[in-house]
């Protein structure tokens, strides 16, 4: 049996997790405070994912860039591809909070959405 | 002079939550004064996720978290002035402020809530030797440049200090195409949250060098490189120097509550937190002046800022509605055994009789398997075991007070062997 030590990133508590693996699959998780810890350990050891946050350029708005995030977590290996795809995106103002700025980023099935509203420059 | 019942200085997370709670507790005339071009404070530049897990049970980005409170302030029709700088506050609670529309103006509210937040420790306060070229920023300044103004401060970026903003900026600069060869931390432990070390450094293979600091800065016009060295007993160890060519150095070396107004007003300052000393109502030594959020002590979670500020808002409402409480000496809260400070630093007798008292504190080092012990006189009133305590993580204990033995003169909070 293999053991893996992880730090949960589910919340700022940062629980120290210990996962037991058998033939590459997680059989037991300990050290977690809540069920998210167990979920995180299983995912992190099989298919690690992250929510990606960055900014995209806004045209004609009161501010030059708007903050965005992936609406759900995407595979860790896709973080740079996601940010690169967003480098080419420009959204015209006004931008609404939650507006999709790039659908289905890198074929992940996850949309990138604005996390702030931007008004049009009068 | 315009009359308001309550003026809140600062429209960041603390000011917003205080305003909402005060209005909900029945205060009608409230005014928020904000220096920046929009409400929300530092949250506007914290575009990463992880905010609001305690408050909203979901993981929000900074701007989204701010928007939840801005919406409440707008729904409750609480007025605010943007682009407004408060110049002074005095013992009689006279506020002198200015902005382009009103010019110079004064307010004399019944109560004031201080919610000015904190500032980063700049290079000048760090005693780093070397030249003074362009390319050296505090991490928060770089964060604002990247996330709000759309500029990338540099391409090869060393970070000194492993506070949360430093860690977050290591990831942010990397995602924006810069290279971060190292994050150096003077202390033998990180000042940031563990989750940030995992998802900001480990995810991107950025090394964290503990017990290291910058011992030289090279470059005349623009930064050309920095020299790191290992530190032992507060001194660089000769022979451990390593040169890193870079065009940018970000400093994440601590936050200092911004209390110029508080000092000028004559409120007693706690020398450990650099924030005002407050009782359990979060009232400073000036009656009717309350404080909450990072101006009081630096927090690591905005959720706690919101909670604390809401408590300050309710206290201010009570003060406005009931007037000055009968003067009763408060019991001082003293620290021992590794506890560095507590907020509040005093508890009023009436609270001990009737309310739950929340004490927030930080420890001075990394500790394992300790018990947090709260003592009233010789009596132990609360014990809580903790596997790990670290300076970077604020702790909270809530004491369900009640009948206390007679003759107690102080409360003591400390760490003891488990």
């Amino acid at each position: 049996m293999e053991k893996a030590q992880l730090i949960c990133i589910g919340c700022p508590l940062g629980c120290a997790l210990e996962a037991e693996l058998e033939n590459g699959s997680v059989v037991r998780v300990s050290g977690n405070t809540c069920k998210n810890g167990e979920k995180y350990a299983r995912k992190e050891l099989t298919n690690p994912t992250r929510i990606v946050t960055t900014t995209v350029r806004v045209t004609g708005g009161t501010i030059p860039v708007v903050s965005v995030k992936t609406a759900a977590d995407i595979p860790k290996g896709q973080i740079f591809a996601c940010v690169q795809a967003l480098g080419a995106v420009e959204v015209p103002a006004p931008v609404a909070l939650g507006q999709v700025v790039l659908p289905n980023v890198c074929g992940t099935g996850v949309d990138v959405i604005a996390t702030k509203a931007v008004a049009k420059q009068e | 002079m315009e009359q308001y019942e309550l003026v809140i200085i600062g429209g960041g997370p603390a000011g917003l939550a205080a305003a909402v709670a005060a209005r909900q507790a029945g205060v009608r005339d409230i005014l928020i004064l904000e220096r920046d071009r929009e409400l929300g404070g530092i949250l506007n530049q914290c575009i990463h996720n992880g905010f609001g897990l305690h408050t909203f049970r979901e993981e929000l980005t900074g701007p989204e978290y701010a928007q939840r409170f801005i919406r409440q302030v707008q729904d409750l029709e609480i007025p605010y002035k943007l682009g407004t700088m408060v110049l002074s506050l005095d013992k009689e609670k006279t506020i002198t402020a200015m902005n382009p529309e009103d010019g110079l103006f004064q307010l004399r509210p019944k109560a004031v809530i201080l919610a000015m937040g904190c500032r980063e420790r700049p290079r000048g306060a760090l005693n780093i030797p070397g030249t003074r070229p362009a390319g050296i920023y505090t991490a928060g300044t770089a964060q604002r440049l990247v996330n709000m103004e759309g500029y990338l401060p540099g391409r090869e970026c060393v970070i000194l200090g492993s506070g949360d903003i430093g860690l977050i900026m290591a990831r942010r600069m990397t995602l924006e195409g810069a290279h971060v060869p190292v994050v150096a931390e003077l202390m033998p432990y990180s000042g940031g949250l563990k989750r940030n070390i995992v998802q900001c450094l480990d995810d991107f293979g950025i090394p964290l060098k503990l017990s290291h600091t910058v011992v030289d800065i090279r470059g005349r016009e623009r930064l050309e490189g920095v020299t790191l060295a290992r530190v032992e007993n507060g001194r660089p160890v000769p022979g451990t120097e390593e040169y890193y060519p870079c065009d940018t150095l970000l400093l994440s070396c601590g936050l200092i509550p911004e209390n110029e107004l508080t000092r000028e007003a004559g409120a007693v300052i706690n020398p450990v937190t650099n924030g005002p000393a407050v009782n359990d109502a979060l009232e400073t030594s000036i009656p009717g002046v309350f404080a909450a959020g990072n101006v009081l002590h630096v927090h690591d979670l905005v959720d706690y800022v919101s909670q604390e500020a809401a408590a300050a808002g309710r206290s201010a409402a009570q003060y406005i509605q009931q007037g000055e409480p009968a003067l009763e000496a408060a019991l001082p809260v003293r620290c021992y055994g590794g506890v560095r400070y507590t907020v509040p630093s005093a508890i009023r007798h009436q609270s001990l009789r009737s309310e739950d008292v929340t004490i927030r504190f930080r420890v001075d080092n990394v500790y394992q398997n300790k018990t947090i012990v709260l003592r009233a006189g010789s009596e132990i009133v609360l014990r809580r075991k903790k596997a790990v305590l670290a300076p970077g993580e604020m702790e909270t204990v809530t004491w369900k007070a009640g009948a206390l033995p007679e003759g107690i003169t102080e409360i003591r909070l400390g760490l003891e062997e488990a």
Side-chain angles (χ1 to χ4, degrees):
Chain A
M1 183 152 17
E2 255 185 282
K3 279 188 180 175
Q5 318 285 334
L6 297 169
I7 287 169
C8 180
I9 62 166
C11 85
L13 263 185
C15 293
L17 310 177
E18 188 173 90
E20 289 172 20
L21 292 118
E22 251 174 26
N23 308 322
S25 62
V26 179
V27 290
R28 212 172 72 87
V29 178
S30 55
N32 52 315
T33 310
C34 71
K35 60 181 188 325
N36 291 338
E38 187 178 335
K39 221 166 94 186
Y40 170 76
R42 287 181 189 282
K43 223 168 168 182
E44 188 68 9
L45 291 168
T46 51
N47 172 32
T49 59
R50 296 287 185 268
I51 286 181
V52 178
T53 61
T54 182
T55 53
V56 300
R57 266 185 286 277
V58 176
T59 51
T62 49
I63 49 174
V65 289
V66 64
S67 51
V68 300
K69 69 173 180 186
T70 52
D73 39 356
I74 64 167
K76 213 165 116 176
Q78 296 271 34
I79 293 176
F80 276 105
C82 168
V83 172
Q84 229 143 41
L86 286 164
V89 174
E90 263 189 6
V91 277
V95 182
L97 194 147
Q99 180 182 321
V100 174
V101 301
L102 183 62
N104 186 18
V105 63
C106 301
T108 53
V110 174
D111 296 342
V112 176
I113 59 174
T115 56
K116 189 182 175 80
V118 182
K120 218 169 169 163
Q121 179 76 57
E122 294 303 327
Chain B
M1 202 183 290
E2 279 186 82
Q3 288 296 326
Y4 283 94
E5 286 183 308
L6 173 62
V7 171
I8 297 169
I9 305 177
L16 294 170
V20 168
R23 169 58 58 84
Q24 285 167 345
V27 181
R28 279 183 349 130
D29 296 320
I30 305 177
L31 178 65
I32 303 172
L33 301 177
E34 168 55 45
R35 178 170 56 186
D36 209 341
R37 62 191 178 198
E38 58 190 336
L39 292 174
I42 205 71
L43 287 170
N44 287 313
Q45 70 183 58
C46 297
I47 65 161
H48 53 280
N49 60 315
F51 299 90
L53 272 157
H54 294 259
T55 312
F56 300 112
R57 301 256 154 238
E58 53 183 312
E59 193 161 316
L60 303 172
T61 64
E64 291 171 311
Y65 186 95
Q67 187 52 38
R68 299 273 171 114
F69 281 91
I70 294 169
R71 182 57 141 320
Q72 288 184 62
V73 163
Q74 287 166 344
D75 287 349
L76 293 167
E77 294 174 0
I78 299 170
Y80 53 88
K81 288 180 190 289
L82 300 177
T84 303
M85 184 73 190
V86 174
L87 301 173
S88 75
L89 167 72
D90 70 16
K91 259 199 155 60
E92 279 70 51
K93 289 172 282 195
T94 308
I95 292 169
T96 306
M98 65 189 293
N99 67 29
E101 282 103 60
D102 304 301
L104 190 71
F105 61 99
Q106 286 197 315
L107 303 166
R108 187 82 173 267
K110 286 185 189 154
V112 175
I113 297 177
L114 306 173
M116 293 92 78
C118 62
R119 302 216 131 214
E120 295 175 282
R121 189 168 281 132
R123 180 185 174 185
L126 292 171
N127 296 321
I128 302 174
T131 55
R132 310 187 74 80
I136 303 172
Y137 302 85
T138 60
T141 300
Q143 190 180 41
R144 182 166 178 120
L145 286 173
V146 175
N147 293 346
M148 292 179 73
E149 316 293 343
Y151 295 110
L152 188 63
R155 298 257 164 223
E156 185 72 17
C157 174
V158 170
I159 299 179
L160 175 63
S162 63
D164 287 310
I165 315 171
L167 300 175
I168 294 283
M169 281 312 291
R171 173 176 63 182
R172 191 71 192 109
M173 294 294 287
T174 307
L175 287 180
E176 285 298 321
H179 177 239
V180 180
V182 67
V183 175
E185 167 61 56
L186 176 67
M187 303 304 285
Y189 49 81
S190 164
L193 298 170
K194 282 174 269 182
R195 73 190 306 241
N196 285 336
I197 294 179
V198 174
Q199 57 182 359
C200 297
L201 300 188
D202 298 352
D203 272 9
F204 299 96
I206 301 169
L208 171 62
K209 292 204 157 190
L210 298 173
S211 302
H212 276 71
T213 194
V214 172
V215 293
D216 194 23
I217 289 175
R218 206 182 286 177
R220 285 205 72 78
E221 297 295 321
R222 178 78 195 192
L223 180 63
E224 287 167 14
V226 300
T227 305
L228 300 186
R230 206 173 75 230
V231 177
E232 262 173 35
N233 305 319
R235 289 179 176 278
V237 180
T240 62
E241 295 88 355
E242 259 184 293
Y243 182 71
Y244 286 83
C246 59
D247 57 19
T248 311
L249 173 66
L250 301 188
L251 305 171
S252 175
C253 302
L255 300 167
I256 307 162
E258 193 174 3
N259 278 294
E260 283 76 11
L261 294 173
T262 322
R263 282 203 178 84
E264 202 187 326
V268 174
I269 301 286
N270 178 334
V272 181
T273 57
N274 284 309
V278 292
N279 63 23
D280 59 289
L282 303 174
E283 189 177 27
T284 67
S285 62
I286 304 173
V289 177
F290 300 81
N294 283 350
V295 79
L296 182 54
H297 57 139
V298 176
H299 294 61
D300 26 56
L301 290 193
V302 71
D303 301 74
Y304 296 152
V305 169
S306 301
Q307 283 171 18
E308 186 177 88
R314 289 189 293 271
S315 293
Q318 203 170 33
Y319 178 90
I320 289 163
Q321 289 150 1
Q322 299 171 9
E324 202 85 37
L327 208 61
E328 230 183 339
L331 284 174
V333 182
R334 309 224 187 266
C335 310
Y336 71 97
V339 173
R340 203 160 68 87
Y341 74 82
T342 63
V343 169
S345 52
I347 298 171
R348 300 163 306 161
H349 281 271
Q350 65 257 41
S351 317
L352 292 177
R353 286 190 296 266
S354 57
E355 294 162 34
D356 290 352
V357 177
T358 297
I359 303 176
R360 301 188 198 283
F361 67 97
R362 277 184 199 274
V363 296
D364 61 6
N365 209 329
V366 178
Y367 294 99
Q368 290 189 335
N369 298 319
K370 291 278 184 181
T371 304
I372 301 165
V373 180
L374 187 66
R375 293 170 177 271
S378 57
E379 206 167 301
I380 291 176
V381 294
L382 187 143
R383 291 174 65 89
R384 202 202 298 153
K385 280 199 179 139
K386 263 320 251 197
V388 184
L389 294 123
E393 317 225 347
M394 184 190 289
E395 299 289 337
T396 304
V397 289
T398 299
W399 176 22
K400 303 208 178 301
L404 272 181
E406 289 293 314
I408 287 173
T409 54
E410 63 174 24
I411 309 282
R412 301 201 309 141
L413 182 74
L415 304 182
E416 296 183 13
E417 292 306 320

